[in-house]
Amino acid sequence: MSQVESYQSPLHAQDPEVAGWLQREDRRQSESLTLIASENHCSAAVREACGSRITDKYAEGYPNRRYYAGCEVADGIEELARSRALELFGAEAVNVQPHSGTTANLCALLALAGPGGKIVGMSLKTGGHLSHGHHKSHTGTVFDAAQYGVDDRGLIDLDEVRDVVKQHQPKVLIAGGSSYARKIDYTAFAEIAREHGAYLLADIAHPAGLIAAGVLPSPVGIADVVTMTTHKTLRGPRGGMILAKPDVIKPINSSVFPGGQGGPLVQQIAGKAVAFAEALSPAFKDYQKQVLDNAQYLGECLVEHGLDVVTGGTDNHIVLVDLRKAPMTGAEVEERALAAGLAVNKNAVPGDPRPPMVTSGLRVGTPAITTRGFGRDEVKTVADILGGLVRGEDPEKFRDTVKALCEAHPLP
Ligand SMILES: *Cc1c(COP(=O)(O)O)cnc(C)c1O
C-alpha cells in the first residue's frame, strides 16, 4: 500500500527490525478500522513535525526564559503553539508542555491541591480516568481522593457530586471522564466547587476536539483549569495541555517545569502547533460535526440490532454498549471484533458485575473512522458487523467487507 513506508528509507537500511515493526503498524492501522474512542489518525503534517530534528533540542524553561543556549527556534515553536491554542479554545493562559494527559493532571492537581491535598473526581469504574484519584494512580496515593459515580441510568448525579464534595471538602473538584457519553454541566460543577471553596478542573481529554469546534459546550472560562490530551478527538500528536485562568497559571507552570518534567518535547509541541492550526480551519468543524453525527447514528443502529446503549445514546463521539443482557462479555466481543478487523475496546458499564479484564460493555468511538471519511452508510455497515458479532456470527465472514471499507478510505 502507498501508505506503507518505502524500503529505501534510512531506518530500513540501518535497522530493518524496528522498521519492520513500524511497517507492520502502518499495515495494521490501514487494514483495520479503529473504533477505539481515545484514538485517531493525525495528519501527515503532524507526523512530519514530530519526526523532525528539533527532537535533539533541550529547552528547559519557557520561551525567553530557558536554561539552555540556542533556544530561539524552540521559543518560536512554543509561542506559536501557545497562541494557536489560546485562539482555538478562547482561553487566557496555557501550558503546552505536558508530555501526556496524566502528567497534565498530576501537575495541575499538585499546583492546586498540594501534596496530600484533597481531591474529588469520577470513579474509574463509572467512566472517570485513573488520573482522577484512582488508588493505583499517583493521584490516588499522593492526594486524599474521594470519588463520585453515576446513577442507575448511567448519568452524573449532581446531588451526589454535591454530597461527596460537602463531605470531603476537597481543594479540587474534577469534571470529565473517559467513557462518559453525555454532556457535562460545567456551570453546575463550578457552582458546587465554589460553594465549598474548591477549584474546578475540567478534564476534556476525550471531547477536546468537539469542544474546540463548538460542537459541545466548553468549560473554558467556567473551570479554573482545563486539562486535555492532544491526540484523541483533537487529532494532534500524543501529548497533553493545560488551559488556566490567569490567577493560577503561575503555579501550574512551575508545577509542570521544574516540578514534574524536565525538557519539553519540542517536536511534540511543533506537532501540537500544526494540529491547532488544522483545528482552527472550517474543515475541522465539519469533521467534528460528522464525528458526532456518526456516533449518534451508530448508537441508533446498534439499538436496532437489539443492543442496549448506556444512557440510550450519546452527545459526543462515544457509544457505550451494555452487554449485560447479551450472550457475550466485553472481552469476547473485543476479541471477535479484532478477528473481523475492527479494533474496539471492552469497557465496564455502570453496575458491571464482571471484572475489569472481562467487563460487560464495549466502548465504541467514531473519531478515527470519521477521519478516514466515514459517513452514515459506512457507519451502518460497521453497526451491522458489530450486531452480527454479538449474535455469535463468524468474524471471518466480515473480513472482506472490512477490507473493502479500508481500501476505499485510506489513512491520512
Ligand atoms: C486519556 C485520558 C487521560 C490521559 O491521557 P494519557 O495521555 O494517556 O496520559 C486523562 N484524562 C482523561 C479523562 C482521559 O480520557
Side-chain angles (χ1 to χ4, degrees):
M1 278 201 153
S2 62
Q3 301 165 46
V4 175
E5 292 282 312
S6 127
Y7 280 102
Q8 314 308 319
S9 76
L11 180 60
H12 274 98
Q14 178 183 318
D15 193 332
E17 215 175 342
V18 169
W21 280 113
L22 294 177
Q23 191 170 28
R24 198 167 139 180
E25 176 62 9
D26 281 350
R27 207 172 298 127
R28 188 193 68 80
Q29 286 191 28
S30 64
E31 294 173 8
S32 64
L33 293 175
T34 297
L35 296 165
I36 294 174
S38 50
E39 294 183 2
N40 208 334
H41 303 292
C42 69
S43 69
V46 167
R47 284 186 287 121
E48 185 180 339
C50 295
S52 65
R53 194 157 269 147
I54 196 117
T55 193
D56 296 343
K57 188 70 195 102
Y58 245 115
E60 278 183 349
Y62 291 101
N64 305 314
R65 286 180 294 121
R66 303 283 190 187
Y67 294 85
Y68 279 83
C71 289
E72 322 75 58
V73 174
D75 283 4
I77 288 169
E78 188 165 346
E79 292 282 20
L80 199 55
R82 292 213 286 205
S83 62
R84 287 176 180 179
L86 295 179
E87 185 185 349
L88 184 60
F89 287 97
E92 291 183 272
V94 63
N95 188 309
V96 296
Q97 292 191 2
H99 301 336
S100 72
T102 296
T103 304
N105 282 340
L106 192 55
C107 292
L109 290 169
L110 277 165
L112 300 177
K118 291 184 179 182
I119 62 169
V120 164
M122 182 150 78
S123 72
L124 180 69
K125 65 177 194 300
T126 59
H129 189 258
L130 277 163
S131 62
H132 295 182
H134 187 268
H135 65 276
K136 292 211 170 145
S137 154
H138 288 332
T139 57
T141 54
V142 168
F143 304 108
D144 177 359
Q147 311 243 275
Y148 59 88
V150 290
D151 64 18
D152 299 341
R153 293 166 304 166
L155 297 170
I156 290 174
D157 174 358
L158 289 166
D159 291 332
E160 189 203 346
V161 175
R162 186 175 278 107
D163 286 346
V164 176
V165 168
K166 198 168 165 187
Q167 203 160 33
H168 197 59
Q169 293 292 321
K171 287 243 177 70
V172 185
L173 170 62
I174 306 170
S178 301
S179 53
Y180 193 69
R182 292 300 182 177
K183 276 188 193 132
I184 291 177
D185 186 346
Y186 298 113
T187 306
F189 266 94
E191 264 167 33
I192 295 171
R194 207 171 313 116
E195 280 164 23
H196 298 277
Y199 289 109
L200 176 63
L201 184 158
D203 180 348
I204 61 166
H206 262 269
L210 294 153
I211 289 170
V215 171
L216 269 182
S218 172
V220 175
I222 299 169
D224 298 284
V225 171
V226 178
T227 58
M228 72 191 79
T229 53
T230 48
H231 50 270
K232 296 181 183 173
T233 53
L234 196 48
R235 206 165 65 177
R238 192 156 294 279
M241 178 158 83
I242 305 173
L243 303 172
K245 288 198 171 162
D247 58 323
V248 288
I249 191 66
K250 265 187 99 156
I252 281 177
N253 283 343
S254 315
S255 187
V256 172
F257 175 83
Q261 296 186 168
L265 310 176
V266 188
Q267 77 284 7
Q268 295 305 104
I269 295 175
K272 289 173 192 176
V274 174
F276 299 157
E278 290 174 3
L280 281 160
S281 73
F284 189 76
K285 203 178 169 83
D286 292 340
Y287 161 66
Q288 296 295 349
K289 280 187 192 153
Q290 193 64 52
V291 167
L292 176 62
D293 186 69
N294 283 348
Q296 291 179 330
Y297 186 60
L298 177 66
E300 287 167 26
C301 293
L302 292 173
V303 168
E304 271 174 34
H305 276 283
L307 294 170
D308 291 329
V309 169
V310 177
T311 77
T314 181
D315 296 329
N316 57 30
H317 59 296
I318 297 170
V319 178
L320 192 57
V321 182
D322 184 344
L323 297 169
R324 281 179 299 181
K325 288 194 216 130
M328 242 172 251
T329 67
E332 281 167 329
V333 182
E334 180 183 293
E335 196 189 317
R336 294 167 55 75
L338 209 54
L342 307 180
V344 291
N345 47 351
K346 61 177 180 273
N347 206 99
V349 291
D352 204 319
R354 297 194 174 100
M357 288 305 286
V358 184
T359 80
S360 307
L362 214 54
R363 187 184 68 165
V364 191
T366 53
I369 54 170
T370 308
T371 291
R372 293 180 85 147
F374 276 35
R376 287 193 167 209
D377 289 349
E378 294 82 4
V379 165
K380 168 101 177 33
T381 307
V382 168
D384 290 345
I385 296 172
L386 286 171
L389 289 169
V390 175
R391 281 192 299 273
E393 290 173 27
D394 182 6
E396 282 304 317
K397 102 177 206 204
F398 301 113
R399 279 231 58 117
D400 287 346
T401 309
V402 173
K403 191 160 174 265
L405 276 175
C406 291
E407 278 169 10
H409 300 274
L411 296 177

